[in-house]
Amino acid sequence: MKKLINDPEAVVREELQGIEAAHGDLVRVSYDPYYIVRKDAPVQNKTAIISGGGSGHEPMHGGFVGVGMLDGACPGEVFTSPTPDQMAAATQAVSGGKGVLHIVKNYTGDVLNFEMAADMARADGIEVEAVVIDDDVAVKDSLYTAGRRGVGTTVLAEKITGAAAEAGASLSEVAELCRKVNANGRSMGMALTSCTVPAAGKPTFDLGEDEMEIGIGIHGEPGRERRKLASANEVAEMLAQPIVDDLPFRQGDRVLAFLNSMGGTPLIELYVVYQALDKYLRGRGLTIERNLIGPYITSLEMAGCSITLLRLDDELTRLWDAPVNTAGLRWGV
Amino acid sequence: MKKLINDPEAVVREELQGIEAAHGDLVRVSYDPYYIVRKDAPVQNKTAIISGGGSGHEPMHGGFVGVGMLDGACPGEVFTSPTPDQMAAATQAVSGGKGVLHIVKNYTGDVLNFEMAADMARADGIEVEAVVIDDDVAVKDSLYTAGRRGVGTTVLAEKITGAAAEAGASLSEVAELCRKVNANGRSMGMALTSCTVPAAGKPTFDLGEDEMEIGIGIHGEPGRERRKLASANEVAEMLAQPIVDDLPFRQGDRVLAFLNSMGGTPLIELYVVYQALDKYLRGRGLTIERNLIGPYITSLEMAGCSITLLRLDDELTRLWDAPVNTAGLRWGV
Amino acid sequence: MAITAEQTLAFIRDFGDVIATNKDFLTQLDSDIGDGDHGINMNRGMRAVLAKLDSTNPPDISAIYRTTAMTLISTVGGASGPLYGTLFLQLGTATQGKAEISAKEWSEALTAAVHAVEARGKATLEDKTMIDALEPAITALSEAVADGADLEAALARAESSAEQGMKATIPLVARRGRASYLGERSAGHQDPGATSSWLLMGAAHRAFGNGTS
Amino acid sequence: MAITAEQTLAFIRDFGDVIATNKDFLTQLDSDIGDGDHGINMNRGMRAVLAKLDSTNPPDISAIYRTTAMTLISTVGGASGPLYGTLFLQLGTATQGKAEISAKEWSEALTAAVHAVEARGKATLEDKTMIDALEPAITALSEAVADGADLEAALARAESSAEQGMKATIPLVARRGRASYLGERSAGHQDPGATSSWLLMGAAHRAFGNGTS
Ligand SMILES: Nc1ncnc2c1ncn2[C@@H]1O[C@H](COP(=O)(O)OP(=O)(O)O)[C@@H](O)[C@H]1O
Ligand SMILES: Nc1ncnc2c1ncn2[C@@H]1O[C@H](COP(=O)(O)OP(=O)(O)O)[C@@H](O)[C@H]1O
Ligand SMILES: [Mg+2]
Ligand SMILES: [Mg+2]
Ligand SMILES: [Mg+2]
Ligand SMILES: [Mg+2]
């Protein structure tokens, strides 16, 4: 395992120290339990939004705490859901009297822990709503299973709901908006390499020199299928087609195209994939009206990418364009 | 070689197509010869700034074209300096009558090609100044050699001179400012892994599982020494100490700390390094007043990081904070 | 003889030990069909539990279980944290106010605890989860206790049923937890949570089975 | 007999061929002490040169050299692009207006060309660059021509001096080009640019040496 770390057990704590040192103008960090909140939290009379999940997906979620996006984030150990006490404490720390939205990615661990946390926060008299993001078309959706994973749409939901909350929306409005984003967003990812969880010390899976995994999540899980390495053009289509077919998107739809690096894939390759994605979507009659390209929801140092498409309307576009000032996303300020 | 590409020979062209498709609101792309310019180029009565160099360092330089930073960028083949005809054409395309600054990284290839390009542009009646960035303390500085490489300070110089040019500074003022940034900036980098030039198909160098290279550049060149893998804290000190000793920085100096990923190192590790860097610099009596953390001057998918410190004064801080709107850096707009 | 607080402590400690010994094995199983952290998660949690038990010295059986539960909930995270947390919390509730527990009481408490895990995680038999080890274990345990078997024999049957249930997860296609994302590819691998649950039943067997009735 | 335009074309084509054949070798050398692209760069350039010569059919020796130069300059990039570009540009200047070139003229033209490369790159002997192959080659060539050797013999001596110069780069510590960043670690490796320059002298030998005087 080759990583710039000190002690596999200390990665998350030291990461938080780094975030605190670097972004003290934007956020405050709590170490017991672990959470990150806006510098000015709690903001009175504003619906607050927190999210959380295992670490290893940076900049998500801690990098999205700030004006116009999240009020707080709870980092778990690497790829491990945070615990209810963290979420409950963060909920308390951001609560400004208008309620708190929990944005939860659909993983058994995240859902169960956030459920417990919501119970705890409600017991403290804080109004809490939870919205579960489940946008990964690589996973078959079924009532009899855990359902789809929550992946790239989470980033977009955090930005868009954050803008609405900043503009004064109520908890139920923000929650409704979050469900709308989830309903209109779909994702799919792939990996060229595995990643190594620091505490495990070796790659989660092995991939041959000429193989790739299609349909991976963001935790180094193996994907739905292993395939022969394909070209960037083919990969773009393999990911985009099931997304477009799933929603279903319609001719003339405007979309936000979010092309994400899993961590180890550099920008030069993302742009090669983007030209293919752009062509493919044109061919399907879709217009990319906004885009986001880079490592935003990563899987440690995994090489690979994911595509998220969000169907836009005027409301979503306006909220996407609204100012945001976080370590990971910044514009308009 | 595992990369999201189609054809090793087509990487740069397809990357440009991706950039054009993604950032058509910010830039225009020329394919013959290759260059990227601001959407509104040439801006009349503004000193223009171009840079360029081999591809594989994304977002540098193409991702830094836009309001408040570069007017144009010339991408060469991967890790290969662009050619004089590209630079001359880009110079022409951005020239708004107040002259054009060439920001050149100190590599024999870049320097020689930019020299030829400046000759060509001057022959066309355009006033050109070139400033060579040579900030890499890993390389011994000597009159009898090619001197130091240009690395991380380039990004900072492009941002800061871009702000000055936007505010109306003359060519000679912008060039002088660029020399000032270069004089006050120092960098050093390290690698945990090699990278693979697409056209070469295999890693430029081999590193054992327990080895790292200290003092690498940004082209997959081996470094000054190969060492046993060290902790993030040790790495931060190995890189920061020669920088601080070189400038020399003084007790109480305010600095911009730029912690850069070489491409394959994810943000989680950068923050672990950052906490160590922050502690180390405090110990040396320096205050980090601004920071930039992420993959900004990369070496394809190489894992590793580099540190750049720029000594700040009020002028540099103000220009750093000025609005910028590029694909790679954005704030204030 | 019934189960004492001392034995309850021994049970938790034994579980902590086998988790530590099997940490890499559990993580490996989770790498195959999950995200490769089950051993790490459980071990982090159980180390914290053992430290907490040492430092707080809970006064009775219920308090031991509740301390274990709260510590797991606040240190494990992931799916297994709330699920094992729920299991121990329910054991704490079921043993409230009791200085000792009979075989029948233990069988009822564990049954209630497993049902609480099912309610929280919504998994049923053959979803390829810890339930596949726990559910056969409580069935065997309560049958054995009803048959009048002594605690040692009943716990032996519970442990071996858990083992069978764990092995039976191998061919299954997962429907809950991360492994479900793999679809058909999850078949052919043993479920990590079922494996830690089998270890749990082994720890109970060793701690409670020795000379009790 | 003197060197003709046809032979000049053969020289460039031969150089293109040996570059193609040695592409991976040159790249490997550059991986050891540079950035691993010298073979790729030179091959990209020479393929473009050959295509350009085919499509434009330059009318005379000087035009052949100038076309080669301009194409290298606009397609190679890196350090070698402007340096080889300068070399061929100077050959073009020195051969301006000449339908054929004598051994002495060729020797003088090449000497001027190498000096132009030195002026552009500021490298001198033992900096571990292409100069270490080129400088011995022009010295040998001009001495041989002064001694009255025929072109075949003179070019053979130039080629073998280039080879010696190339090999002599192995122990050197680089002072110019990317290899200089390695400091002491650059010793023990053969310089890629000196190697391509030796290939250049080989191509000249084969193209001009055959039955000319
Ligand atoms: N809904 C569920 N009900 C019961 N057990 C579950 C459920 N989901 C997952 N599990 C168990 O949890 C185990 C994984 O635990 P762990 O790896 O610690 O958590 P995570 O999946 O969050 O990384 C699985 O092997 C499975 O036995
Ligand atoms: N200043 C110089 N003068 C002469 N030759 C040089 C100089 N710098 C580099 N070279 C030659 O260029 C070669 C490297 O060329 P190449 O790999 O194509 O370019 P780059 O170094 O830009 O990647 C070196 O091996 C060396 O022989
Ligand atoms: Mg996990
Ligand atoms: Mg090069
Ligand atoms: Mg797991
Ligand atoms: Mg090279």
Side-chain angles (χ1 to χ4, degrees):
Chain A
M1 173 175 60
K2 296 186 110 172
K3 287 181 187 292
L4 290 170
I5 60 175
N6 294 300
D7 170 3
E9 310 282 315
V11 169
V12 175
R13 182 167 42 77
E14 294 186 343
E15 180 195 6
L16 286 174
Q17 290 168 353
I19 289 174
E20 184 179 34
H23 308 302
D25 53 330
L26 299 173
V27 301
R28 286 197 323 266
V29 173
S30 155
Y31 293 92
D32 188 19
Y34 289 160
Y35 62 79
I36 301 173
V37 293
R38 272 170 66 154
K39 182 90 187 271
D40 56 354
V43 183
Q44 293 308 318
N45 282 316
K46 179 182 131 359
T47 304
I49 307 173
I50 72 168
S51 189
S55 293
H57 309 302
E58 291 71 10
M60 188 181 82
H61 301 274
F64 298 142
V65 175
V67 175
M69 210 161 168
L70 295 177
D71 292 82
C74 303
E77 290 300 318
V78 172
F79 292 169
T80 299
S81 158
T83 56
D85 52 321
Q86 291 175 256
M87 299 158 176
T91 303
Q92 188 88 57
V94 301
S95 168
K98 271 183 86 173
V100 181
L101 177 70
H102 288 181
I103 300 185
V104 185
K105 300 192 297 307
N106 190 33
Y107 298 95
T108 307
D110 295 58
V111 170
L112 296 181
N113 284 288
F114 263 109
E115 269 173 23
M116 287 189 161
D119 291 348
M120 290 160 78
R122 288 191 194 108
D124 285 344
I126 301 175
E127 200 187 349
V128 173
E129 274 215 55
V131 174
V132 176
I133 305 288
D134 58 344
D135 61 320
D136 187 347
V137 300
V139 178
K140 265 219 208 70
D141 205 3
S142 152
L143 275 179
Y144 306 101
T145 66
R148 286 176 164 172
R149 293 176 289 224
V151 286
T153 299
T154 315
V155 176
L156 312 183
E158 292 176 0
K159 167 67 186 81
I160 288 169
T161 57
E166 207 68 52
S170 68
L171 176 58
S172 64
E173 286 164 350
V174 173
E176 188 50 40
L177 178 65
C178 195
R179 282 185 285 270
K180 173 177 166 180
V181 172
N182 187 48
N184 286 282
R186 291 293 187 279
S187 301
M188 180 135 161
M190 60 80 61
L192 291 173
T193 65
S194 179
C195 56
T196 298
V197 174
K202 55 193 177 61
T204 310
F205 58 87
D206 291 310
L207 260 184
E209 239 326 290
D210 59 343
E211 292 177 327
M212 60 181 189
E213 287 269 340
I214 297 288
I216 46 121
I218 52 171
H219 300 90
E221 315 96 312
R224 298 277 300 182
E225 17 161 18
R226 186 159 292 196
R227 288 226 195 169
K228 282 269 159 275
L229 207 60
S231 71
N233 289 351
E234 288 161 338
V235 166
E237 180 160 346
M238 269 176 223
L239 301 183
Q241 186 188 314
I243 294 174
V244 176
D245 289 345
D246 187 275
L247 197 46
F249 289 91
R250 265 164 310 220
Q251 281 268 341
D253 275 354
R254 295 169 293 152
V255 298
L256 186 161
F258 168 26
L259 177 57
N260 176 61
S261 163
M262 299 309 298
T265 286
L267 212 42
I268 182 172
E269 296 177 39
L270 288 187
Y271 281 119
V272 172
V273 175
Y274 191 86
Q275 59 78 31
L277 175 63
D278 181 67
K279 275 190 204 122
Y280 178 77
L281 295 182
R282 272 173 210 278
R284 297 286 305 257
L286 301 179
T287 310
I288 303 181
E289 199 156 272
R290 295 291 183 275
N291 62 64
L292 181 67
I293 302 170
Y296 293 102
I297 169 170
T298 57
S299 198
L300 295 170
E301 77 285 8
M302 176 183 274
C305 71
S306 66
I307 292 174
T308 299
L309 297 184
L310 173 66
R311 179 158 47 196
L312 290 173
D313 60 15
D314 291 345
E315 179 192 28
L316 297 183
T317 307
R318 182 176 45 76
L319 292 167
W320 177 256
D321 289 343
V324 59
N325 188 8
T326 68
L329 278 188
R330 182 169 174 191
W331 57 74
V333 264
Chain B
M1 173 176 59
K2 296 185 111 174
K3 287 182 187 289
L4 290 170
I5 60 173
N6 293 301
D7 169 2
E9 311 281 316
V11 169
V12 175
R13 182 167 42 78
E14 294 186 343
E15 180 195 7
L16 286 174
Q17 289 167 353
I19 289 174
E20 184 179 35
H23 308 301
D25 54 330
L26 298 173
V27 300
R28 286 197 323 265
V29 173
S30 155
Y31 292 92
D32 187 18
Y34 288 160
Y35 63 78
I36 300 173
V37 294
R38 272 170 67 153
K39 182 90 187 269
D40 56 356
V43 183
Q44 293 308 318
N45 282 316
K46 179 181 130 359
T47 303
I49 306 174
I50 72 167
S51 189
S55 295
H57 309 303
E58 291 71 11
M60 188 182 83
H61 300 275
F64 298 143
V65 175
V67 175
M69 210 160 167
L70 294 178
D71 292 83
C74 303
E77 289 301 316
V78 171
F79 292 170
T80 299
S81 158
T83 56
D85 51 322
Q86 291 175 256
M87 300 159 174
T91 303
Q92 186 89 57
V94 301
S95 166
K98 272 183 86 172
V100 181
L101 176 70
H102 287 181
I103 300 185
V104 185
K105 300 192 297 307
N106 189 33
Y107 299 96
T108 307
D110 294 59
V111 171
L112 295 182
N113 284 288
F114 264 108
E115 269 172 23
M116 287 190 162
D119 290 346
M120 288 159 78
R122 288 190 195 107
D124 285 344
I126 302 175
E127 200 187 347
V128 173
E129 274 215 54
V131 175
V132 175
I133 304 290
D134 59 345
D135 61 321
D136 187 348
V137 300
V139 178
K140 268 218 208 69
D141 205 3
S142 153
L143 275 179
Y144 306 101
T145 67
R148 289 178 162 173
R149 292 177 289 224
V151 285
T153 299
T154 314
V155 176
L156 312 182
E158 292 175 1
K159 167 67 185 81
I160 288 170
T161 57
E166 208 67 53
S170 69
L171 176 59
S172 65
E173 286 164 349
V174 173
E176 188 51 39
L177 178 66
C178 194
R179 283 186 285 268
K180 173 176 166 183
V181 172
N182 187 48
N184 286 282
R186 293 292 187 279
S187 302
M188 179 135 162
M190 59 80 61
L192 292 173
T193 64
S194 179
C195 55
T196 298
V197 175
K202 55 193 177 63
T204 311
F205 58 87
D206 292 309
L207 260 182
E209 237 329 288
D210 59 341
E211 293 177 326
M212 60 182 188
E213 287 270 339
I214 297 288
I216 47 121
I218 51 171
H219 300 90
E221 314 95 314
R224 296 279 298 183
E225 10 161 25
R226 185 160 292 198
R227 287 227 196 171
K228 281 269 159 271
L229 207 60
S231 70
N233 289 351
E234 289 162 337
V235 166
E237 180 160 348
M238 269 176 223
L239 301 184
Q241 186 188 312
I243 293 174
V244 176
D245 290 346
D246 187 276
L247 198 43
F249 288 91
R250 266 163 309 220
Q251 282 267 342
D253 274 352
R254 297 169 291 152
V255 299
L256 186 161
F258 168 26
L259 176 56
N260 175 60
S261 163
M262 300 308 298
T265 286
L267 211 43
I268 183 171
E269 295 177 39
L270 288 187
Y271 281 119
V272 172
V273 175
Y274 191 85
Q275 60 79 31
L277 175 63
D278 181 68
K279 277 191 202 118
Y280 178 79
L281 295 182
R282 272 171 210 280
R284 297 287 307 257
L286 301 180
T287 309
I288 303 181
E289 200 156 271
R290 294 290 184 275
N291 61 66
L292 181 67
I293 303 170
Y296 292 103
I297 168 171
T298 59
S299 199
L300 293 171
E301 77 285 6
M302 177 182 275
C305 70
S306 66
I307 293 174
T308 300
L309 296 183
L310 173 66
R311 179 158 47 196
L312 290 174
D313 60 14
D314 291 344
E315 179 192 29
L316 296 185
T317 307
R318 182 175 46 77
L319 292 167
W320 177 256
D321 289 342
V324 58
N325 189 8
T326 68
L329 278 187
R330 182 171 171 189
W331 55 74
V333 265
Chain C
M1 275 199 309
I3 298 167
T4 62
E6 202 177 321
Q7 280 176 307
T8 303
L9 266 183
F11 164 45
I12 306 291
R13 282 194 212 288
D14 186 310
F15 185 48
D17 291 347
V18 291
I19 286 292
T21 321
N22 288 281
K23 179 183 153 213
D24 292 344
F25 174 52
L26 293 172
T27 294
Q28 181 52 53
L29 291 176
D30 197 33
S31 295
D32 292 337
I33 55 170
D35 59 350
D37 62 1
H38 186 57
I40 302 166
N41 292 345
M42 291 301 296
N43 190 51
R44 180 178 57 245
M46 288 309 299
R47 277 187 319 182
V49 166
L50 299 192
K52 191 78 180 180
L53 290 175
D54 282 346
S55 67
T56 59
N57 252 312
D60 59 20
I61 294 178
S62 174
I64 294 168
Y65 284 132
R66 277 185 288 116
T67 301
T68 303
M70 295 316 295
T71 310
L72 288 178
I73 289 171
S74 69
T75 58
V76 175
S80 46
L83 292 171
Y84 276 109
T86 298
L87 185 115
F88 284 106
L89 205 56
Q90 186 56 42
L91 285 177
T93 308
T95 55
Q96 194 105 35
K98 300 199 171 125
E100 293 195 337
I101 320 176
S102 69
K104 183 151 178 294
E105 284 170 336
W106 165 247
S107 160
E108 285 167 3
L110 189 64
T111 299
V114 171
H115 289 160
V117 173
E118 288 168 349
R120 167 95 28 223
K122 298 186 187 64
T124 55
L125 221 47
E126 306 202 336
D127 280 354
K128 196 176 183 117
T129 70
M130 57 177 68
I131 297 303
D132 292 328
L134 293 173
E135 182 71 42
I138 54 168
T139 306
L141 183 66
S142 49
E143 281 174 12
V145 169
D147 289 355
D150 69 6
L151 192 49
E152 156 64 29
L155 287 164
R157 274 155 69 179
E159 181 183 2
S160 90
S161 296
E163 185 177 9
Q164 279 168 35
M166 165 189 89
K167 288 196 176 139
T169 63
I170 298 177
L172 294 176
V173 172
R175 286 185 302 229
R176 294 280 163 190
R178 277 177 209 290
S180 69
Y181 306 137
L182 281 183
E184 300 293 331
R185 277 178 81 181
S186 62
H189 298 277
Q190 181 170 313
D191 180 61
T195 309
S196 56
S197 287
W198 163 64
L199 295 173
L200 180 78
M201 295 318 298
H205 180 197
R206 284 184 296 276
F208 303 153
N210 210 350
T212 56
S213 73
Chain D
M1 275 200 309
I3 298 169
T4 62
E6 201 177 324
Q7 280 176 308
T8 303
L9 265 184
F11 163 45
I12 306 291
R13 282 192 212 288
D14 186 308
F15 185 48
D17 292 346
V18 290
I19 286 291
T21 320
N22 288 280
K23 178 183 154 214
D24 293 344
F25 174 53
L26 294 172
T27 294
Q28 182 51 52
L29 292 174
D30 196 34
S31 295
D32 293 337
I33 55 170
D35 58 351
D37 63 1
H38 186 56
I40 302 168
N41 292 346
M42 291 301 295
N43 191 52
R44 181 179 54 247
M46 288 309 298
R47 276 186 320 179
V49 165
L50 298 193
K52 191 81 181 179
L53 290 175
D54 281 344
S55 68
T56 59
N57 254 311
D60 60 22
I61 294 178
S62 173
I64 293 169
Y65 284 131
R66 278 184 287 116
T67 301
T68 302
M70 293 317 295
T71 310
L72 288 178
I73 289 171
S74 68
T75 58
V76 174
S80 46
L83 293 171
Y84 277 110
T86 299
L87 186 115
F88 284 107
L89 205 56
Q90 186 57 43
L91 286 177
T93 309
T95 55
Q96 194 106 35
K98 298 200 173 126
E100 293 195 336
I101 320 176
S102 69
K104 180 149 179 299
E105 283 168 336
W106 166 247
S107 160
E108 284 167 3
L110 189 65
T111 300
V114 171
H115 289 160
V117 172
E118 289 169 348
R120 168 92 31 222
K122 299 185 187 62
T124 55
L125 220 46
E126 306 202 335
D127 281 353
K128 196 177 182 112
T129 69
M130 57 178 69
I131 297 304
D132 292 329
L134 293 173
E135 183 69 46
I138 55 169
T139 307
L141 183 66
S142 50
E143 282 174 11
V145 169
D147 289 356
D150 69 8
L151 193 49
E152 156 64 30
L155 286 165
R157 274 155 71 177
E159 181 184 1
S160 89
S161 297
E163 184 176 11
Q164 279 168 36
M166 165 188 88
K167 289 196 175 140
T169 63
I170 298 178
L172 294 175
V173 173
R175 287 186 301 229
R176 293 281 165 190
R178 279 178 206 289
S180 69
Y181 305 136
L182 282 182
E184 299 293 331
R185 276 177 83 181
S186 63
H189 298 277
Q190 180 169 312
D191 181 61
T195 309
S196 56
S197 287
W198 163 65
L199 294 174
L200 181 79
M201 297 316 300
H205 179 196
R206 283 184 297 276
F208 304 153
N210 207 350
T212 58
S213 72

